[in-house]
Amino acid sequence: MREKILIGASELFLNFGFKSVTMDDIANNLGISKKTIYLHFANKTKLVEATTMYLFESISEGINQICALQKDPIEEIYSIKQFIMEHLKDEKSSPQYQLQKYYPKICNSLKEKQFKVMQTCVIDNLKRGIQLQLFRESINVEFVARIYFSIMLAIKDKDLFPDKLFSMNMLMSNYLEYHLRGICTAKGLETLNKFITSNQS
């Protein structure tokens, strides 16, 4: 039952946001009593925390599976982006932004975990890109990995990038291209341009 509640709550939170979804909404959506939810989660904050970690674990596992395929590093970055967007429902409820605003402690805990996962994944991606001569040998891998993470968080700030001007898909696509054009060799740029062209057609 606990996992059923987590899955149901995840769907509602991602579609409508952490703030607006109530325990009644979740109970009604799952066809169970609110009392049943409280048997597993003491309050909404505990449920938000558990749901957030549940989503994090699911997404981390998916990213690890994509990384294990050892794809071309440029294609890998876009595959991870696509996977995350699908699992977070295109981030239409701005989950990270809402967590920061209404549940800052949970958000900070999540950020620490995201940083560890992304550092491992991004550093490996950068090193493989350098080995394959797609990324410049002169880049500072540690610096680029941290900049990558910090900007991924920044583009989710709805005060900086309001929905009426920027969709999350557009922001992610533009940032990934911006990131890659900054580190690619001539060979890498050729690969990137081919990839972008083939995915636009």
Side-chain angles (χ1 to χ4, degrees):
M1 179 53 76
R2 181 183 163 85
E3 187 165 1
K4 181 184 175 183
I5 293 168
L6 287 173
I7 292 168
S10 300
E11 287 282 319
L12 288 176
F13 287 145
L14 289 176
N15 280 311
F16 305 106
F18 290 106
K19 174 75 172 164
S20 60
V21 173
T22 65
M23 297 295 253
D24 282 315
D25 294 330
I26 296 164
N28 291 337
N29 188 60
L30 290 170
I32 59 176
S33 70
K34 204 158 55 166
K35 189 178 172 184
T36 304
I37 298 177
Y38 285 121
L39 284 174
H40 298 275
F41 306 98
N43 51 49
K44 185 181 171 184
T45 301
K46 291 291 183 189
L47 177 57
V48 168
E49 184 177 27
T51 304
T52 302
M53 293 309 143
Y54 172 79
L55 284 168
F56 169 77
E57 295 295 343
S58 302
I59 290 169
S60 296
E61 190 180 322
I63 289 173
N64 288 338
Q65 286 172 6
I66 292 169
C67 291
L69 297 173
Q70 296 279 289
K71 293 182 176 187
D72 165 295
I74 291 173
E75 185 186 347
E76 179 180 272
I77 284 176
Y78 282 99
S79 295
I80 289 171
K81 173 239 172 188
Q82 189 61 37
F83 172 79
I84 291 172
M85 294 301 287
E86 284 170 7
H87 274 71
L88 294 183
K89 314 285 183 191
D90 286 343
E91 301 209 25
K92 60 187 173 191
S93 72
S94 312
Q96 191 101 22
Y97 181 68
Q98 286 215 355
L99 273 183
Q100 180 70 62
K101 198 168 180 181
Y102 304 112
Y103 300 95
K105 281 187 181 175
I106 297 172
C107 186
N108 288 335
S109 172
L110 175 65
K111 204 183 290 182
E112 284 175 26
K113 292 174 184 290
Q114 286 174 327
F115 179 71
K116 285 176 185 169
V117 169
M118 276 187 72
Q119 282 298 96
T120 304
C121 173
V122 174
I123 286 173
D124 177 67
N125 181 277
L126 291 168
K127 285 180 176 175
R128 284 196 301 111
I130 291 168
Q131 284 171 358
L132 295 168
Q133 299 180 327
L134 295 170
F135 303 154
R136 295 195 321 277
E137 203 175 335
S138 61
I139 64 172
N140 183 318
V141 169
E142 192 69 37
F143 170 77
V144 173
R146 286 167 186 265
I147 284 289
Y148 182 85
F149 178 74
S150 62
I151 297 182
M152 275 296 185
L153 291 180
I155 62 174
K156 294 173 182 178
D157 184 332
K158 293 301 165 189
D159 295 324
L160 271 178
F161 299 101
D163 288 333
K164 61 184 178 189
L165 295 178
F166 307 96
S167 72
M168 185 48 66
N169 198 42
M170 178 267 227
L171 283 170
M172 291 275 276
S173 296
N174 276 269
Y175 174 59
L176 292 184
E177 186 177 345
Y178 176 87
H179 163 72
L180 288 166
R181 289 196 183 282
I183 62 173
C184 276
T185 58
K187 178 185 174 184
L189 286 173
E190 196 179 321
T191 303
L192 175 63
N193 288 332
K194 280 180 185 171
F195 183 84
I196 290 171
T197 303
S198 67
N199 280 275
Q200 283 174 343
S201 56

